[in-house]
Amino acid sequence: MSTRSSALTVDAAGLTFQNPVLLAAGTAAYGRELDGVVALDSLGGIVTKAVSPLPRAGAPAPRVAEFDGGMINAVGLANPGVEEVLRSELPWLAEHVRRARVLVNVVGDTVEDYATVVSRLDDGAGLHGFELNVSCPNVRAGGMEFGADPRTLEAVVRGARAATRRPLFVKLSPTLADIAQAARIAVDAGADAISVVNTIPGLVIDVDARRAALGFGRGGVSGAGLRPVGVLATYKVRQAVRVPIVGVGGIERGEDALQYIMAGASLVAVGTAALRDPRAPERIVSELRGWCERHAVSSIAQLVGSVEMTR
Ligand SMILES: Cc1cc2nc3c(=O)[nH]c(=O)nc-3n(C[C@H](O)[C@H](O)[C@H](O)COP(=O)(O)O)c2cc1C
């Protein structure tokens, strides 16, 4: 590794990332779909699409729609289920991804589902850690999201913690009433890192058709409009916990990533921008490198949490 790139090296949650830029969950599938399109090994890491115990068909089409401020999606966490991921996706990752770190994104319908997926994948090759998506509905609690109830959040993280010694990231929703408190609960229950933020609920209407733009109706808003929301969430979580943070939401350029880093993130993840332009994450890495060179920053870690909040 050159000295130039070492300014971007990040140690977080027991893993070394060659740079702080990850592909966000749901935008890289399980890596294979991007083979030949994105140089995955030039990134800090990839977060896979969600994995649930059983296959999920997902939501009806259309699953994504654009609007001025970003994108709305209702994919419904479609995925082939943990057995298929173990059988055909992880071996591909093990063989083809050498330098990028791989986090498997985990979802469930019940508290137990999370530990089931984590323990099933734990011995697999090709992954370095897990990211628990606690923004999805708990079917046994009337569809309330796992992260929104302190006891449920604690149970999900404790269950997953007991199932693995690998790094555990917990991804929180920007709609939580108290995201700092949720982060504290997750860390106390064994999380090694917090990812913020997931999408925010929204509705886009096609007025000529007088229908929702998405097949499912409502969806999750991502992209540029989510950026200030995610940066503030990062700042709040940074005030509450000392574990590393992955900043996610609306990152399109190196400077957007720097906002998250200055707010307190050690790592960043790129979703919507990578769907629009698969080369965006690589470009963001080189923009970060250029910024550090221009500002004589020898290690990007020096910038984490460095924002002055008042002028
Ligand atoms: C099409 C699509 C699929 C997604 N799937 C997942 C998922 O499986 N698990 C998850 O935790 N987040 C998922 N997300 C949320 C993203 O990982 C990210 O948190 C969010 O989109 C905000 O980042 P962005 O503005 O860079 O897209 C998905 C987002 C999109 C747009």
PDB file of all heavy atoms in Angstrom, residues 110-148:
ATOM      1  N   THR A 110     -38.492 -11.387  13.585  1.00  0.00           N
ATOM      2  CA  THR A 110     -38.583 -11.576  15.039  1.00  0.00           C
ATOM      3  C   THR A 110     -37.197 -11.346  15.637  1.00  0.00           C
ATOM      4  O   THR A 110     -36.187 -11.376  14.921  1.00  0.00           O
ATOM      5  CB  THR A 110     -39.009 -13.020  15.387  1.00  0.00           C
ATOM      6  OG1 THR A 110     -37.958 -13.901  14.978  1.00  0.00           O
ATOM      7  CG2 THR A 110     -40.304 -13.420  14.703  1.00  0.00           C
ATOM      8  N   VAL A 111     -37.161 -11.162  16.943  1.00  0.00           N
ATOM      9  CA  VAL A 111     -35.879 -10.966  17.633  1.00  0.00           C
ATOM     10  C   VAL A 111     -34.934 -12.126  17.338  1.00  0.00           C
ATOM     11  O   VAL A 111     -33.753 -11.938  17.036  1.00  0.00           O
ATOM     12  CB  VAL A 111     -36.130 -10.837  19.157  1.00  0.00           C
ATOM     13  CG1 VAL A 111     -34.818 -10.924  19.928  1.00  0.00           C
ATOM     14  CG2 VAL A 111     -36.854  -9.532  19.475  1.00  0.00           C
ATOM     15  N   GLU A 112     -35.462 -13.344  17.395  1.00  0.00           N
ATOM     16  CA  GLU A 112     -34.620 -14.535  17.235  1.00  0.00           C
ATOM     17  C   GLU A 112     -34.014 -14.644  15.836  1.00  0.00           C
ATOM     18  O   GLU A 112     -32.950 -15.240  15.658  1.00  0.00           O
ATOM     19  CB  GLU A 112     -35.429 -15.821  17.521  1.00  0.00           C
ATOM     20  CG  GLU A 112     -35.979 -15.918  18.929  1.00  0.00           C
ATOM     21  CD  GLU A 112     -37.197 -15.013  19.161  1.00  0.00           C
ATOM     22  OE1 GLU A 112     -37.953 -14.766  18.197  1.00  0.00           O
ATOM     23  OE2 GLU A 112     -37.375 -14.531  20.295  1.00  0.00           O
ATOM     24  N   ASP A 113     -34.717 -14.089  14.845  1.00  0.00           N
ATOM     25  CA  ASP A 113     -34.219 -14.197  13.457  1.00  0.00           C
ATOM     26  C   ASP A 113     -32.793 -13.660  13.321  1.00  0.00           C
ATOM     27  O   ASP A 113     -31.984 -14.196  12.548  1.00  0.00           O
ATOM     28  CB  ASP A 113     -35.122 -13.404  12.494  1.00  0.00           C
ATOM     29  CG  ASP A 113     -36.399 -14.160  12.149  1.00  0.00           C
ATOM     30  OD1 ASP A 113     -36.545 -15.322  12.563  1.00  0.00           O
ATOM     31  OD2 ASP A 113     -37.254 -13.555  11.461  1.00  0.00           O
ATOM     32  N   TYR A 114     -32.471 -12.593  14.040  1.00  0.00           N
ATOM     33  CA  TYR A 114     -31.146 -11.971  13.898  1.00  0.00           C
ATOM     34  C   TYR A 114     -30.045 -12.945  14.335  1.00  0.00           C
ATOM     35  O   TYR A 114     -29.044 -13.142  13.636  1.00  0.00           O
ATOM     36  CB  TYR A 114     -31.070 -10.673  14.714  1.00  0.00           C
ATOM     37  CG  TYR A 114     -31.887  -9.544  14.114  1.00  0.00           C
ATOM     38  CD1 TYR A 114     -33.238  -9.407  14.399  1.00  0.00           C
ATOM     39  CD2 TYR A 114     -31.294  -8.625  13.250  1.00  0.00           C
ATOM     40  CE1 TYR A 114     -33.990  -8.386  13.851  1.00  0.00           C
ATOM     41  CE2 TYR A 114     -32.034  -7.595  12.696  1.00  0.00           C
ATOM     42  CZ  TYR A 114     -33.387  -7.480  13.003  1.00  0.00           C
ATOM     43  OH  TYR A 114     -34.124  -6.461  12.448  1.00  0.00           O
ATOM     44  N   ALA A 115     -30.242 -13.555  15.515  1.00  0.00           N
ATOM     45  CA  ALA A 115     -29.232 -14.504  16.007  1.00  0.00           C
ATOM     46  C   ALA A 115     -29.161 -15.723  15.095  1.00  0.00           C
ATOM     47  O   ALA A 115     -28.084 -16.288  14.884  1.00  0.00           O
ATOM     48  CB  ALA A 115     -29.554 -14.914  17.437  1.00  0.00           C
ATOM     49  N   THR A 116     -30.302 -16.111  14.534  1.00  0.00           N
ATOM     50  CA  THR A 116     -30.320 -17.267  13.624  1.00  0.00           C
ATOM     51  C   THR A 116     -29.415 -17.007  12.418  1.00  0.00           C
ATOM     52  O   THR A 116     -28.587 -17.844  12.051  1.00  0.00           O
ATOM     53  CB  THR A 116     -31.771 -17.525  13.135  1.00  0.00           C
ATOM     54  OG1 THR A 116     -32.579 -17.785  14.282  1.00  0.00           O
ATOM     55  CG2 THR A 116     -31.848 -18.678  12.162  1.00  0.00           C
ATOM     56  N   VAL A 117     -29.575 -15.840  11.801  1.00  0.00           N
ATOM     57  CA  VAL A 117     -28.765 -15.528  10.612  1.00  0.00           C
ATOM     58  C   VAL A 117     -27.295 -15.403  10.994  1.00  0.00           C
ATOM     59  O   VAL A 117     -26.404 -15.965  10.331  1.00  0.00           O
ATOM     60  CB  VAL A 117     -29.265 -14.229   9.930  1.00  0.00           C
ATOM     61  CG1 VAL A 117     -28.311 -13.795   8.815  1.00  0.00           C
ATOM     62  CG2 VAL A 117     -30.671 -14.429   9.378  1.00  0.00           C
ATOM     63  N   VAL A 118     -27.028 -14.693  12.096  1.00  0.00           N
ATOM     64  CA  VAL A 118     -25.637 -14.465  12.488  1.00  0.00           C
ATOM     65  C   VAL A 118     -24.947 -15.796  12.802  1.00  0.00           C
ATOM     66  O   VAL A 118     -23.832 -16.059  12.326  1.00  0.00           O
ATOM     67  CB  VAL A 118     -25.573 -13.490  13.691  1.00  0.00           C
ATOM     68  CG1 VAL A 118     -24.171 -13.464  14.295  1.00  0.00           C
ATOM     69  CG2 VAL A 118     -25.994 -12.085  13.258  1.00  0.00           C
ATOM     70  N   SER A 119     -25.599 -16.658  13.562  1.00  0.00           N
ATOM     71  CA  SER A 119     -24.897 -17.892  13.932  1.00  0.00           C
ATOM     72  C   SER A 119     -24.735 -18.809  12.725  1.00  0.00           C
ATOM     73  O   SER A 119     -23.724 -19.492  12.592  1.00  0.00           O
ATOM     74  CB  SER A 119     -25.584 -18.614  15.094  1.00  0.00           C
ATOM     75  OG  SER A 119     -26.841 -19.024  14.712  1.00  0.00           O
ATOM     76  N   ARG A 120     -25.681 -18.762  11.805  1.00  0.00           N
ATOM     77  CA  ARG A 120     -25.561 -19.619  10.610  1.00  0.00           C
ATOM     78  C   ARG A 120     -24.383 -19.180   9.729  1.00  0.00           C
ATOM     79  O   ARG A 120     -23.708 -19.994   9.125  1.00  0.00           O
ATOM     80  CB  ARG A 120     -26.879 -19.545   9.822  1.00  0.00           C
ATOM     81  CG  ARG A 120     -26.996 -20.556   8.729  1.00  0.00           C
ATOM     82  CD  ARG A 120     -27.204 -21.960   9.258  1.00  0.00           C
ATOM     83  NE  ARG A 120     -27.174 -22.926   8.175  1.00  0.00           N
ATOM     84  CZ  ARG A 120     -26.138 -23.740   7.917  1.00  0.00           C
ATOM     85  NH1 ARG A 120     -25.068 -23.714   8.683  1.00  0.00           N
ATOM     86  NH2 ARG A 120     -26.174 -24.575   6.905  1.00  0.00           N
ATOM     87  N   LEU A 121     -24.164 -17.860   9.644  1.00  0.00           N
ATOM     88  CA  LEU A 121     -23.112 -17.351   8.749  1.00  0.00           C
ATOM     89  C   LEU A 121     -21.760 -17.227   9.438  1.00  0.00           C
ATOM     90  O   LEU A 121     -20.742 -17.025   8.771  1.00  0.00           O
ATOM     91  CB  LEU A 121     -23.503 -15.969   8.192  1.00  0.00           C
ATOM     92  CG  LEU A 121     -24.754 -15.907   7.321  1.00  0.00           C
ATOM     93  CD1 LEU A 121     -24.961 -14.482   6.811  1.00  0.00           C
ATOM     94  CD2 LEU A 121     -24.648 -16.872   6.130  1.00  0.00           C
ATOM     95  N   ASP A 122     -21.752 -17.342  10.745  1.00  0.00           N
ATOM     96  CA  ASP A 122     -20.560 -16.946  11.499  1.00  0.00           C
ATOM     97  C   ASP A 122     -19.285 -17.675  11.092  1.00  0.00           C
ATOM     98  O   ASP A 122     -18.214 -17.090  11.058  1.00  0.00           O
ATOM     99  CB  ASP A 122     -20.818 -17.140  13.004  1.00  0.00           C
ATOM    100  CG  ASP A 122     -19.798 -16.387  13.831  1.00  0.00           C
ATOM    101  OD1 ASP A 122     -19.436 -15.261  13.427  1.00  0.00           O
ATOM    102  OD2 ASP A 122     -19.351 -16.917  14.847  1.00  0.00           O
ATOM    103  N   ASP A 123     -19.399 -18.955  10.765  1.00  0.00           N
ATOM    104  CA  ASP A 123     -18.206 -19.717  10.385  1.00  0.00           C
ATOM    105  C   ASP A 123     -17.856 -19.570   8.908  1.00  0.00           C
ATOM    106  O   ASP A 123     -16.844 -20.106   8.453  1.00  0.00           O
ATOM    107  CB  ASP A 123     -18.430 -21.221  10.658  1.00  0.00           C
ATOM    108  CG  ASP A 123     -18.483 -21.500  12.141  1.00  0.00           C
ATOM    109  OD1 ASP A 123     -17.932 -20.678  12.904  1.00  0.00           O
ATOM    110  OD2 ASP A 123     -19.080 -22.526  12.534  1.00  0.00           O
ATOM    111  N   GLY A 124     -18.710 -18.897   8.165  1.00  0.00           N
ATOM    112  CA  GLY A 124     -18.501 -18.796   6.723  1.00  0.00           C
ATOM    113  C   GLY A 124     -17.259 -17.987   6.390  1.00  0.00           C
ATOM    114  O   GLY A 124     -16.850 -17.114   7.151  1.00  0.00           O
ATOM    115  N   ALA A 125     -16.663 -18.295   5.234  1.00  0.00           N
ATOM    116  CA  ALA A 125     -15.557 -17.470   4.752  1.00  0.00           C
ATOM    117  C   ALA A 125     -16.164 -16.291   4.003  1.00  0.00           C
ATOM    118  O   ALA A 125     -17.346 -16.300   3.673  1.00  0.00           O
ATOM    119  CB  ALA A 125     -14.685 -18.292   3.827  1.00  0.00           C
ATOM    120  N   GLY A 126     -15.361 -15.277   3.740  1.00  0.00           N
ATOM    121  CA  GLY A 126     -15.820 -14.185   2.875  1.00  0.00           C
ATOM    122  C   GLY A 126     -16.500 -13.051   3.591  1.00  0.00           C
ATOM    123  O   GLY A 126     -16.906 -12.082   2.958  1.00  0.00           O
ATOM    124  N   LEU A 127     -16.646 -13.135   4.917  1.00  0.00           N
ATOM    125  CA  LEU A 127     -17.224 -11.989   5.631  1.00  0.00           C
ATOM    126  C   LEU A 127     -16.350 -11.648   6.826  1.00  0.00           C
ATOM    127  O   LEU A 127     -15.642 -12.506   7.361  1.00  0.00           O
ATOM    128  CB  LEU A 127     -18.661 -12.264   6.091  1.00  0.00           C
ATOM    129  CG  LEU A 127     -18.866 -13.091   7.354  1.00  0.00           C
ATOM    130  CD1 LEU A 127     -20.250 -12.850   7.905  1.00  0.00           C
ATOM    131  CD2 LEU A 127     -18.692 -14.562   7.078  1.00  0.00           C
ATOM    132  N   HIS A 128     -16.425 -10.374   7.228  1.00  0.00           N
ATOM    133  CA  HIS A 128     -15.606  -9.907   8.359  1.00  0.00           C
ATOM    134  C   HIS A 128     -16.442  -9.486   9.548  1.00  0.00           C
ATOM    135  O   HIS A 128     -15.927  -9.366  10.649  1.00  0.00           O
ATOM    136  CB  HIS A 128     -14.710  -8.754   7.910  1.00  0.00           C
ATOM    137  CG  HIS A 128     -13.797  -9.129   6.790  1.00  0.00           C
ATOM    138  ND1 HIS A 128     -14.111  -8.906   5.469  1.00  0.00           N
ATOM    139  CD2 HIS A 128     -12.603  -9.762   6.802  1.00  0.00           C
ATOM    140  CE1 HIS A 128     -13.133  -9.374   4.713  1.00  0.00           C
ATOM    141  NE2 HIS A 128     -12.214  -9.895   5.489  1.00  0.00           N
ATOM    142  N   GLY A 129     -17.712  -9.187   9.319  1.00  0.00           N
ATOM    143  CA  GLY A 129     -18.557  -8.745  10.421  1.00  0.00           C
ATOM    144  C   GLY A 129     -20.004  -8.655   9.969  1.00  0.00           C
ATOM    145  O   GLY A 129     -20.342  -9.016   8.828  1.00  0.00           O
ATOM    146  N   PHE A 130     -20.839  -8.186  10.883  1.00  0.00           N
ATOM    147  CA  PHE A 130     -22.278  -8.111  10.610  1.00  0.00           C
ATOM    148  C   PHE A 130     -22.781  -6.690  10.863  1.00  0.00           C
ATOM    149  O   PHE A 130     -22.268  -5.989  11.742  1.00  0.00           O
ATOM    150  CB  PHE A 130     -23.042  -9.060  11.540  1.00  0.00           C
ATOM    151  CG  PHE A 130     -22.709 -10.506  11.328  1.00  0.00           C
ATOM    152  CD1 PHE A 130     -21.785 -11.149  12.142  1.00  0.00           C
ATOM    153  CD2 PHE A 130     -23.298 -11.227  10.297  1.00  0.00           C
ATOM    154  CE1 PHE A 130     -21.465 -12.485  11.942  1.00  0.00           C
ATOM    155  CE2 PHE A 130     -22.987 -12.569  10.094  1.00  0.00           C
ATOM    156  CZ  PHE A 130     -22.066 -13.200  10.917  1.00  0.00           C
ATOM    157  N   GLU A 131     -23.798  -6.303  10.101  1.00  0.00           N
ATOM    158  CA  GLU A 131     -24.510  -5.056  10.366  1.00  0.00           C
ATOM    159  C   GLU A 131     -25.982  -5.421  10.563  1.00  0.00           C
ATOM    160  O   GLU A 131     -26.613  -5.951   9.642  1.00  0.00           O
ATOM    161  CB  GLU A 131     -24.358  -4.075   9.198  1.00  0.00           C
ATOM    162  CG  GLU A 131     -25.076  -2.753   9.452  1.00  0.00           C
ATOM    163  CD  GLU A 131     -24.964  -1.787   8.281  1.00  0.00           C
ATOM    164  OE1 GLU A 131     -25.611  -2.037   7.224  1.00  0.00           O
ATOM    165  OE2 GLU A 131     -24.247  -0.778   8.391  1.00  0.00           O
ATOM    166  N   LEU A 132     -26.504  -5.156  11.758  1.00  0.00           N
ATOM    167  CA  LEU A 132     -27.907  -5.482  12.042  1.00  0.00           C
ATOM    168  C   LEU A 132     -28.786  -4.321  11.621  1.00  0.00           C
ATOM    169  O   LEU A 132     -28.619  -3.195  12.114  1.00  0.00           O
ATOM    170  CB  LEU A 132     -28.102  -5.745  13.540  1.00  0.00           C
ATOM    171  CG  LEU A 132     -27.153  -6.757  14.206  1.00  0.00           C
ATOM    172  CD1 LEU A 132     -27.513  -6.897  15.689  1.00  0.00           C
ATOM    173  CD2 LEU A 132     -27.219  -8.112  13.512  1.00  0.00           C
ATOM    174  N   ASN A 133     -29.718  -4.588  10.711  1.00  0.00           N
ATOM    175  CA  ASN A 133     -30.680  -3.563  10.300  1.00  0.00           C
ATOM    176  C   ASN A 133     -31.877  -3.663  11.238  1.00  0.00           C
ATOM    177  O   ASN A 133     -32.727  -4.538  11.067  1.00  0.00           O
ATOM    178  CB  ASN A 133     -31.085  -3.812   8.836  1.00  0.00           C
ATOM    179  CG  ASN A 133     -32.211  -2.904   8.394  1.00  0.00           C
ATOM    180  OD1 ASN A 133     -32.665  -2.031   9.140  1.00  0.00           O
ATOM    181  ND2 ASN A 133     -32.673  -3.101   7.169  1.00  0.00           N
ATOM    182  N   VAL A 134     -31.928  -2.779  12.231  1.00  0.00           N
ATOM    183  CA  VAL A 134     -33.019  -2.831  13.212  1.00  0.00           C
ATOM    184  C   VAL A 134     -34.122  -1.829  12.865  1.00  0.00           C
ATOM    185  O   VAL A 134     -34.946  -1.501  13.695  1.00  0.00           O
ATOM    186  CB  VAL A 134     -32.508  -2.620  14.662  1.00  0.00           C
ATOM    187  CG1 VAL A 134     -31.606  -3.764  15.076  1.00  0.00           C
ATOM    188  CG2 VAL A 134     -31.803  -1.278  14.826  1.00  0.00           C
ATOM    189  N   SER A 135     -34.133  -1.384  11.604  1.00  0.00           N
ATOM    190  CA  SER A 135     -35.162  -0.428  11.167  1.00  0.00           C
ATOM    191  C   SER A 135     -36.366  -1.111  10.552  1.00  0.00           C
ATOM    192  O   SER A 135     -37.281  -0.444  10.082  1.00  0.00           O
ATOM    193  CB  SER A 135     -34.576   0.543  10.143  1.00  0.00           C
ATOM    194  OG  SER A 135     -33.366   1.070  10.591  1.00  0.00           O
ATOM    195  N   CYS A 136     -36.364  -2.447  10.529  1.00  0.00           N
ATOM    196  CA  CYS A 136     -37.496  -3.123   9.894  1.00  0.00           C
ATOM    197  C   CYS A 136     -38.547  -3.523  10.938  1.00  0.00           C
ATOM    198  O   CYS A 136     -38.277  -3.500  12.139  1.00  0.00           O
ATOM    199  CB  CYS A 136     -37.017  -4.316   9.075  1.00  0.00           C
ATOM    200  SG  CYS A 136     -35.924  -5.379   9.964  1.00  0.00           S
ATOM    201  N   PRO A 137     -39.763  -3.860  10.494  1.00  0.00           N
ATOM    202  CA  PRO A 137     -40.845  -4.111  11.447  1.00  0.00           C
ATOM    203  C   PRO A 137     -40.751  -5.454  12.175  1.00  0.00           C
ATOM    204  O   PRO A 137     -40.440  -6.474  11.568  1.00  0.00           O
ATOM    205  CB  PRO A 137     -42.107  -4.051  10.578  1.00  0.00           C
ATOM    206  CG  PRO A 137     -41.661  -4.191   9.176  1.00  0.00           C
ATOM    207  CD  PRO A 137     -40.215  -3.863   9.097  1.00  0.00           C
ATOM    208  N   ASN A 138     -41.047  -5.402  13.463  1.00  0.00           N
ATOM    209  CA  ASN A 138     -41.096  -6.601  14.306  1.00  0.00           C
ATOM    210  C   ASN A 138     -42.514  -7.153  14.200  1.00  0.00           C
ATOM    211  O   ASN A 138     -43.457  -6.567  14.722  1.00  0.00           O
ATOM    212  CB  ASN A 138     -40.766  -6.169  15.749  1.00  0.00           C
ATOM    213  CG  ASN A 138     -40.852  -7.302  16.745  1.00  0.00           C
ATOM    214  OD1 ASN A 138     -41.268  -8.407  16.422  1.00  0.00           O
ATOM    215  ND2 ASN A 138     -40.450  -7.008  17.966  1.00  0.00           N
ATOM    216  N   VAL A 139     -42.683  -8.292  13.523  1.00  0.00           N
ATOM    217  CA  VAL A 139     -44.046  -8.785  13.261  1.00  0.00           C
ATOM    218  C   VAL A 139     -44.782  -9.156  14.553  1.00  0.00           C
ATOM    219  O   VAL A 139     -45.997  -9.093  14.619  1.00  0.00           O
ATOM    220  CB  VAL A 139     -44.088  -9.972  12.273  1.00  0.00           C
ATOM    221  CG1 VAL A 139     -43.606  -9.569  10.897  1.00  0.00           C
ATOM    222  CG2 VAL A 139     -43.309 -11.165  12.765  1.00  0.00           C
ATOM    223  N   ARG A 140     -44.022  -9.513  15.601  1.00  0.00           N
ATOM    224  CA  ARG A 140     -44.682  -9.878  16.865  1.00  0.00           C
ATOM    225  C   ARG A 140     -45.022  -8.647  17.707  1.00  0.00           C
ATOM    226  O   ARG A 140     -45.595  -8.776  18.776  1.00  0.00           O
ATOM    227  CB  ARG A 140     -43.795 -10.811  17.692  1.00  0.00           C
ATOM    228  CG  ARG A 140     -43.665 -12.171  17.032  1.00  0.00           C
ATOM    229  CD  ARG A 140     -43.409 -13.258  18.066  1.00  0.00           C
ATOM    230  NE  ARG A 140     -42.936 -14.440  17.398  1.00  0.00           N
ATOM    231  CZ  ARG A 140     -41.785 -15.022  17.626  1.00  0.00           C
ATOM    232  NH1 ARG A 140     -40.964 -14.562  18.554  1.00  0.00           N
ATOM    233  NH2 ARG A 140     -41.440 -16.094  16.956  1.00  0.00           N
ATOM    234  N   ALA A 141     -44.636  -7.484  17.259  1.00  0.00           N
ATOM    235  CA  ALA A 141     -44.951  -6.260  18.022  1.00  0.00           C
ATOM    236  C   ALA A 141     -45.735  -5.299  17.142  1.00  0.00           C
ATOM    237  O   ALA A 141     -45.502  -4.095  17.136  1.00  0.00           O
ATOM    238  CB  ALA A 141     -43.683  -5.618  18.543  1.00  0.00           C
ATOM    239  N   GLY A 142     -46.652  -5.866  16.358  1.00  0.00           N
ATOM    240  CA  GLY A 142     -47.544  -5.041  15.535  1.00  0.00           C
ATOM    241  C   GLY A 142     -46.826  -4.213  14.489  1.00  0.00           C
ATOM    242  O   GLY A 142     -47.323  -3.183  14.049  1.00  0.00           O
ATOM    243  N   GLY A 143     -45.641  -4.645  14.084  1.00  0.00           N
ATOM    244  CA  GLY A 143     -44.934  -3.935  13.022  1.00  0.00           C
ATOM    245  C   GLY A 143     -44.080  -2.773  13.510  1.00  0.00           C
ATOM    246  O   GLY A 143     -43.483  -2.061  12.714  1.00  0.00           O
ATOM    247  N   MET A 144     -43.984  -2.601  14.831  1.00  0.00           N
ATOM    248  CA  MET A 144     -43.122  -1.538  15.359  1.00  0.00           C
ATOM    249  C   MET A 144     -41.662  -1.884  15.041  1.00  0.00           C
ATOM    250  O   MET A 144     -41.265  -3.044  15.159  1.00  0.00           O
ATOM    251  CB  MET A 144     -43.315  -1.477  16.872  1.00  0.00           C
ATOM    252  CG  MET A 144     -42.552  -0.378  17.551  1.00  0.00           C
ATOM    253  SD  MET A 144     -42.703  -0.631  19.329  1.00  0.00           S
ATOM    254  CE  MET A 144     -42.066   0.906  19.927  1.00  0.00           C
ATOM    255  N   GLU A 145     -40.867  -0.908  14.662  1.00  0.00           N
ATOM    256  CA  GLU A 145     -39.508  -1.275  14.276  1.00  0.00           C
ATOM    257  C   GLU A 145     -38.679  -1.697  15.502  1.00  0.00           C
ATOM    258  O   GLU A 145     -38.866  -1.176  16.599  1.00  0.00           O
ATOM    259  CB  GLU A 145     -38.827  -0.202  13.428  1.00  0.00           C
ATOM    260  CG  GLU A 145     -38.357   1.006  14.128  1.00  0.00           C
ATOM    261  CD  GLU A 145     -37.629   1.966  13.160  1.00  0.00           C
ATOM    262  OE1 GLU A 145     -38.265   2.532  12.249  1.00  0.00           O
ATOM    263  OE2 GLU A 145     -36.432   2.156  13.350  1.00  0.00           O
ATOM    264  N   PHE A 146     -37.786  -2.669  15.275  1.00  0.00           N
ATOM    265  CA  PHE A 146     -37.003  -3.248  16.383  1.00  0.00           C
ATOM    266  C   PHE A 146     -36.258  -2.177  17.170  1.00  0.00           C
ATOM    267  O   PHE A 146     -36.189  -2.228  18.392  1.00  0.00           O
ATOM    268  CB  PHE A 146     -35.991  -4.266  15.832  1.00  0.00           C
ATOM    269  CG  PHE A 146     -36.634  -5.526  15.334  1.00  0.00           C
ATOM    270  CD1 PHE A 146     -36.940  -5.683  13.991  1.00  0.00           C
ATOM    271  CD2 PHE A 146     -36.926  -6.555  16.205  1.00  0.00           C
ATOM    272  CE1 PHE A 146     -37.531  -6.843  13.527  1.00  0.00           C
ATOM    273  CE2 PHE A 146     -37.508  -7.724  15.761  1.00  0.00           C
ATOM    274  CZ  PHE A 146     -37.816  -7.864  14.411  1.00  0.00           C
ATOM    275  N   GLY A 147     -35.704  -1.218  16.420  1.00  0.00           N
ATOM    276  CA  GLY A 147     -34.859  -0.219  17.071  1.00  0.00           C
ATOM    277  C   GLY A 147     -35.625   0.763  17.932  1.00  0.00           C
ATOM    278  O   GLY A 147     -35.038   1.486  18.743  1.00  0.00           O
ATOM    279  N   ALA A 148     -36.953   0.819  17.754  1.00  0.00           N
ATOM    280  CA  ALA A 148     -37.737   1.858  18.433  1.00  0.00           C
ATOM    281  C   ALA A 148     -38.116   1.489  19.859  1.00  0.00           C
ATOM    282  O   ALA A 148     -38.537   2.351  20.627  1.00  0.00           O
ATOM    283  CB  ALA A 148     -38.993   2.170  17.619  1.00  0.00           C
TER     284      ALA A 148
END
